[in-house]
Amino acid sequence: MSAPGIVVAGLRKRYGPTLALDGMSFSVRPGLVTGFLGPNGAGKSTTMRVILGLDAVEEGTALIDGRPYRSLRHPLTHVGSLLDAAALHPGRSGRNHLLWLAHSQGLAARRVDQVIEEVGLASAARRKAGGYSLGMRQRLGIAAALLGDPPIIMLDEPFNGMDPDGIIWMRGFLRSLAAQGRAVLVSSHLMSEVQDTADHLVVVGRGKAIADAGVAELIAAASGNRVALRTTAGAHAMKVLARAGATVAATGRDTIAVSGLPADRIVTVLNESAVPFSEVSAHRATLEDVYLDLTREAVEFRAATPTEVRR
Amino acid sequence: MRVALHAEWTKIRTVPSPLWLLVGTVAATVALSAGATSVVNCTASGCGGDTTKLSLMGVYIGQALVAILAVLIVSGEYGSGMIRTTLAAVPRRAIAFAAKAITLTGVVAVGGTVAVLGSVLAGRLVLPDLGDQALSLTNGPAMRAVVGTVLYLILIALLSLGIATAMRDSATSIGIVLGLLYIVPILVQTISDPYWQRLLQKIAPMSAGLAVQATTDLHSLPISPWAGLGVTAAWAIAALSVGGLLLRMRDA
Amino acid sequence: MTSTVTRHRPSPKAGRYGFLQVLHAEWTKFRTALGWVIGMMVAALMVVLFAVLAGVSSNQKGSSPVPIGPGGGPVTDSFYFVHQPLAGNGSISVSVSALKSSIPKGPGDLRPGIVPWAKAGLIIKQSTRQGSPYAAIMATGSHGVRMQDNYVNDTAGLPDPVSTASVRWLRLDRSGDTITGHASADGTHWTKVGTTRVSGLGPTAQVGLFVASPAAVGGGGTAGSVSTATFGDLRIQGGLAGSTWTGGQVGAESPSFAGYPESTSGSFTESNGRFTVTGAGDMAPAVRDSLPTGAHLREILTGTFAALIAVIVVGALFITAEYRNKMIHLTLAASPRRSRVLVAKAIVLWAVTFVAGSVGAICATPLGERLARRNGVYIFPVSSLTELRVALGTAALLATASVLALSVGAIFRHSAGAVTTVIVAIVLPYILIAIPFIPAGVSKGLATVTPVAAFAVQQTLVPYDHVASNYTPYYGYYPLAPWAGFAVLAGYALVSLAVATVLLNRRDA
C-alpha cells in the first residue's frame, strides 16, 4: 500500500467567479490527529467533500491509501467521515440510519450495535433521529464514521454544538483513535478546540494550505527570536535598542517586543545606556497567535469580498 | 401587520423561484388554452362547445403551478428551518400567516390576470371569427368567466397554502392538492349514477369552481357559476382555518 | 484496544456482490422510513376504496338484462324482423333495391343521411329471443354486401351501396347447421359470399327480411338513426305451407338499444310483392357506448389515479428527501459508484410499488365487480388471464410511474417540482382525453405519445371493424395494445433515469 493516510495534492476548484480551492496540498498520516484549521470559507469543507469524491475538481488529486475515493470497493472501511451531523432522515431511528449504512458496506447488524455502544447512544438508538439534540446527532455521526472500522477518520467541525462534557469526551475519543494507529483529520475554525488535541496542524486560507507542520514546530517558528522587555523607560529603551540594530515595538504600557537581537546582547545594550528594566524574556507565541497571524490575510480578504464562498 | 406584510413581500421578491413559477403559470396557461382552441373543429354554427370555457382551459395546468408556488411559500420555510426565524420575527402567528396569505393573493392575482387575459387573447387569435359568438370581454357571462377564473386561481393558491401549513412537507402537500383537484373529474367519468355524479361535481373544488367559466347551457350545470366558486372558496377557507389553527397550536 | 484496525471488514466474498449491498442498503432505507411505507399502503388502499365507491355509487337496478350472444359476450340484438318459420333445410332469396337512412339533427329534425352500417337483408335465426344464434346476408349503407353470423363474424361480399340502378340479390341456404350466403347483381349469376356453421338453430328456425340501423357516430357521441329498405322477388323454398309474414321489433326493450328517433317506429308494408321495411337497432357485439348500463375493469380501477399520486409523492421523496437532508452526501460516500445508487433505488421502489399495486388491484377487482353487479351493473366479461393482466399491469403502471418520479426528483433535486411535473404529465393528458369535444384524433394522439398511454394495460374492450362506435380512450379503447402503451411510460421512465444518472455522475453532490 503506497502512502497510507490521505494525500491531497494541488486541488483547484472554482464555483462561478469564486476560487474555492487554489492549489490545496497536504497529507494526513496514521497515528496522528491532524487539525484542519482555517476561517469559514477557506475551503475546509470543500476539500473534505473532494476527498470523499462528492465534488469534482478541475485539477489535482486526493488519494486514500494511494487510491482515489471513488475506486474504493467498501469506502467506509477505508475512511469514516462526518460532514454534517444534521444529514439524516428525521423519521428514521438512529439505529436504522446506521443499519442501511452497514448494509451498503456488507457489514452485519451487530456491528451497528457495537458502534452505538461505543459512542454512548444505546438509550436513544431506537428513537426517531429527528428528535435528537445536536450533541446526539454528533455522536450518531461519529458512530457512522466508525462503522467500517476504518484506518482513516475525517470529521468536519465535530465540536460544533457540543456541550462542555461532549467536548471533553470528543477530545479523548480523537486521541484514542490516533493511539490505535488511525489517521484522524479534524477540521475547525477555532484553534482553541483543537490545540490540546492535535499533533499536527494544516492551516488553510483562501483555498490553500498556508502552514503544514507539527504543533511544536509551528510555535517555534512563530515565536521567532523575539524578546519581551519590561521597562518603565520605554521610549529611551526603544531608542537605544533601535540604534543597536534591533526592531522594536511597544506592546503594552511598559512592555516592548524586541527582535533582531539575542537576549544577552539586549541586556548588555540596556546596561551600557543605563536604561532600567525589570524583565527580559524570550517571547513564546501561543497557538492562537500563530493561527491569527497565519490567517489574518485570509480573513481580511474575506471581509473585503462580499461573495460568500460555499461551505 | 404592515411590517409583517412588508417582510413577506420582501421574502417572495428576493428569491427567483416565485417569479419563475408565475412566469411558468402564465406560459403554461396560455399555451394549453391556445392548444385547446386550435384543435377543436369549428363550423359556421359554432365550435361544438363553450368557446369561452375552452379558451380558458389553460387553468387546468396553470392551477398546478399556482399550487406549487403557494405550497413552497410555507413548506420551503419548514424545509430550511426558516419558519423559526419568521415566527421569531412575527411572534403573533395569526398575523404571520395572514401576511403570507395576503401576499400570495396579491402575487397570484397579478399572475392569474396576465395568464387569463393572455388565454383570452390567444383564443381570439386562434378561433375563427364567429360573429356574435365571438369571445368578448364586453358581454356579461364572458366577463364573469374571466374574473371568476382569476378568483379561482387565487382560491386554489389559498387552499394550497392552508394544506401546506398543515402538512409542512412540500411533496405531500402538492400530492394532496393535486389529488383534490384532479381526482374527482376523473372519478366522475366512471360513476354511472347521475345523482352521485352531480353531487361530486357540486362539492369538488375544481369541478365546482370552474363552473364559473361556463357561458352557455347554464341550466344543465350541476351548480351555478358563482355558487360553484363559493364551493371552492369554502374549501380554501376550511384549509386556511385548519392550517392556521395547527400553526398556532403546534411548536414551530 | 489493539492498534490493528481490520477487525470489522466485510468478508471478501461480499465484495463480489457490491450491487446487492447497495440494493440491500436502499431497501433498509425504504422500509425504515415510516412515511414512505404508509404512502405505499395508502396507494393500495386507494385502489380498493375507489373500487368500492365505484361499485356502491352505481345504480342500474331495474334495467333490462343485457342480451348475451352465443359466444358469451354482450350483444346488441334489436332490429325489425319480417319472418316466418322454416322447418329443416331450405332456401330464401330476395332483391334489395333501396336502403335509405335518416339521422336526427335536433329534436324532431330528422334528415336523410348515410349510416355506414345500416343493414337490410335476409336472416335465419333460432328465434326472436335476443342473443339467439343467427346467420344473415345483407346490403349495408356503405360497406357493400356482407355476410354475418353470431354477432361477431363478418365477411365482405359485393361492394357498392344499393340503389334502383344497382339492385342486389341475396340468398341464404340452410343445410343442417351449415348456412351458405350468395349475392348477385342481376338475379341470375350468383357469387358465394361465405359458408358458416351456426349451431343451435334448432329444427325450426325463423327466416325472413330484416332492417337494422345502428346509432350514427359523430362529435364524440351517438344519435339513434332509422332506415328503410325496399325488397322484391322474395322467394322461399322449404317453408311451411300457408305461413304468412309476421313483422315485429326484436329486442325493443334492451339496454343496448337506443330506440327509434322521435316520431318514428318500425314497420313493414307489402304490395305486389314489394316489401318496404323500416327498422332501427343493430345485430352486433355491444361496445362501451352502445351499452350505457355496462362497466369494465378500468372503471372499477379508477382508484389508480389516487394511488398514482401517492406513489409519485413517495417516489420523488425517496431521492429528494436525501437532498433536502443532505443525507445524499453520506449515501454517495458509502457508495461512490453513483449510477448503482440510483439504479438500486429504482429497483427497490419499483418492486415495493409493484407489490402494493398488485395487492390493491387484486383485492379491488373482485370486490368492485361484486358490488357493481349487486347494483345491476353489467360488467363486460373478460378471461381470468385478462383480469390478471389488468391487475398486474396496473401495478406495473404504478411502479413505473413512481420510478419516473424518482428520476425526475433526481434531476430536479427538489420534491415539489418533481411531484408536480410527473402528476401533470400523467393526469393532465387523461383529463384532456375526457373532454367530450376534443377531437378523437387529438385524444388518440395524447394516448399514444404521453405517459397516459400506459393506461392501455387496463383496457379490456375490443373494437370491432363492423361496429361503428367512438373507439376513443374516453370509452376505454386505447390506440395502443396494452403492453405497447405500458412501454411508452416505461420509455419515459428509462430516459429520465438515464438523464438522472448522467447528471448525478456529473454534478457535485
Side-chain angles (χ1 to χ4, degrees), chain C residues 59-83:
Chain C
N59 185 6
Q60 299 294 346
K61 279 186 188 149
S63 55
S64 324
V66 173
I68 304 298
V75 297
T76 305
D77 195 10
S78 301
F79 57 97
Y80 198 84
F81 194 10
V82 180
H83 57 99

Side-chain angles (χ1 to χ4, degrees), chain A residues 13 53-56 69-70 73-75 77 84 87-89 92 96-97 100 103-105 107 111 114 149 180, chain C residues 1 3 5 7-10 15 21 24-25 28-29 32 36 325-327 330-331 333-334 336 338 508-509:
Chain A
K13 179 176 185 64
L54 295 174
D55 284 13
Y69 189 88
R70 285 217 202 185
R73 192 181 280 282
H74 291 113
T77 61
D84 181 354
L88 36 81
H89 192 285
R92 203 176 273 130
N96 282 333
H97 176 74
W100 75 255
H103 287 158
S104 74
Q105 307 297 305
L107 295 166
R111 176 63 186 152
Q114 237 167 15
D149 202 3
Q180 290 160 21
Chain C
M1 286 211 189
S3 63
V5 286
R7 287 167 306 130
H8 301 287
R9 293 303 166 80
Q21 287 161 8
H24 190 184
T28 308
K29 260 189 217 172
T32 54
W36 302 345
N325 304 326
K326 295 189 187 139
M327 205 176 80
L330 199 50
T331 300
R338 298 180 178 186
D508 286 344

